[in-house]
């Protein structure tokens, strides 16, 4: 289904059949974090139904008590895909968003660097679109963005200095 979604090829019967089979499974423990997050991304991107049962089943798998540490196995791209997919699909799951936000905050500043600016902006969009407020996550993301902007300004100034020095050297040698 991911390939169909990525290629923007509509195939409602396939999406319905796959979702039905996944929802019918006893549990989703056999799904790796990337598989689960990409599956949710595909259904959200393709805007294919039936999403509610599939999204609920995926959230329950991620939040299951016996898999308490399972969310820790989700990497930056996986966590980003999950909250983005829920937001894009209009599927509300406050408990999942709370756990993902807590996880991102736990990672600290170094963790946000692993997410990068694109994923941080996607997470921010997902929380905003879902109208889910998590003050600590908002603070961390804002601090990260400020830091990235300062780094970009510094890099821009350094580039300008290098360019000016290079032009100066060219003029001197000419």
């Amino acid at each position: 289904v991911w390939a169909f979604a990525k290629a923007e090829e509509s195939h409602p019967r396939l999406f319905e059949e796959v979702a039905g089979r996944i929802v019918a499974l006893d549990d989703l423990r056999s799904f790796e974090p990337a598989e689960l997050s990409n599956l949710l991304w595909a259904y959200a991107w393709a805007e294919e139904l039936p999403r509610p049962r599939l999204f609920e089943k995926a959230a329950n798998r991620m939040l299951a008590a016996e898999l308490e540490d399972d969310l820790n196995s989700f990497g930056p791209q996986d966590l980003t895909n999950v909250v983005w997919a829920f937001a894009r699909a209009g599927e509300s799951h406050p408990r999942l968003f709370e756990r993902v936000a807590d996880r991102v905050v736990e990672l600290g500043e170094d963790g946000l660097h692993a997410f990068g600016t694109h994923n941080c902006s996607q997470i921010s969009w997902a929380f905003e679109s879902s109208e889910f407020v998590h003050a600590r996550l908002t603070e961390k993301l804002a601090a990260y963005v400020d830091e990235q902007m300062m780094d970009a300004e510094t890099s821009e100034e350094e580039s300008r200095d290098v360019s000016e020095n290079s032009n100066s050297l060219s003029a001197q040698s000419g």
Side-chain angles (χ1 to χ4, degrees):
V1 293
W2 181 89
F4 278 89
K6 184 73 175 165
E8 298 182 3
E9 290 291 327
S10 179
H11 202 303
R13 188 164 170 230
L14 171 71
F15 276 79
E16 186 175 331
E17 183 69 27
V18 170
R21 288 177 186 247
I22 292 170
V23 169
L25 295 171
D26 290 334
D27 64 56
L28 303 181
R29 287 185 221 181
S30 62
F31 282 77
E32 293 294 324
E35 295 167 341
L36 192 59
S37 69
N38 285 334
L39 177 73
L40 295 173
W41 180 93
Y43 275 85
W45 181 256
E47 298 178 341
E48 294 288 349
L49 299 174
R51 291 184 305 234
R53 293 187 338 241
L54 177 64
F55 276 66
E56 184 65 28
K57 183 106 180 188
N60 290 342
R61 182 259 194 216
M62 294 173 68
L63 299 171
E66 67 272 10
L67 301 172
E68 191 63 33
D69 291 332
D70 193 50
L71 200 56
N72 295 337
S73 66
F74 281 71
Q77 188 66 54
D78 304 326
L79 292 172
T80 302
N81 283 354
V82 167
V83 294
W84 181 90
F86 270 81
R88 165 120 177 174
E91 298 293 332
S92 176
H93 205 293
R95 192 167 146 234
L96 176 64
F97 271 65
E98 181 76 29
R99 290 285 312 285
V100 169
D102 289 344
R103 176 72 184 125
V104 173
V105 168
E106 285 171 9
L107 295 172
E109 289 181 32
D110 289 340
L112 286 178
H113 287 282
F115 278 82
T117 54
H118 178 75
N119 285 339
C120 285
S121 70
Q122 293 293 317
I123 289 171
S124 181
W125 176 86
F127 276 76
E128 173 81 19
S129 296
S130 299
E131 298 179 357
F132 188 86
V133 178
H134 191 282
R136 291 183 335 191
L137 177 64
T138 302
E139 290 170 15
K140 292 281 186 189
L141 289 173
Y144 176 74
V145 168
D146 286 345
E147 176 189 325
Q148 294 305 303
M149 289 180 73
M150 289 184 72
D151 287 350
E153 287 174 9
T154 301
S155 295
E156 189 177 307
E157 288 173 13
E158 289 171 354
S159 294
R160 194 170 32 248
D161 289 346
V162 167
S163 177
E164 288 172 3
N165 290 337
S166 164
N167 289 340
S168 175
L169 288 172
S170 294
Q172 289 175 5
S173 65

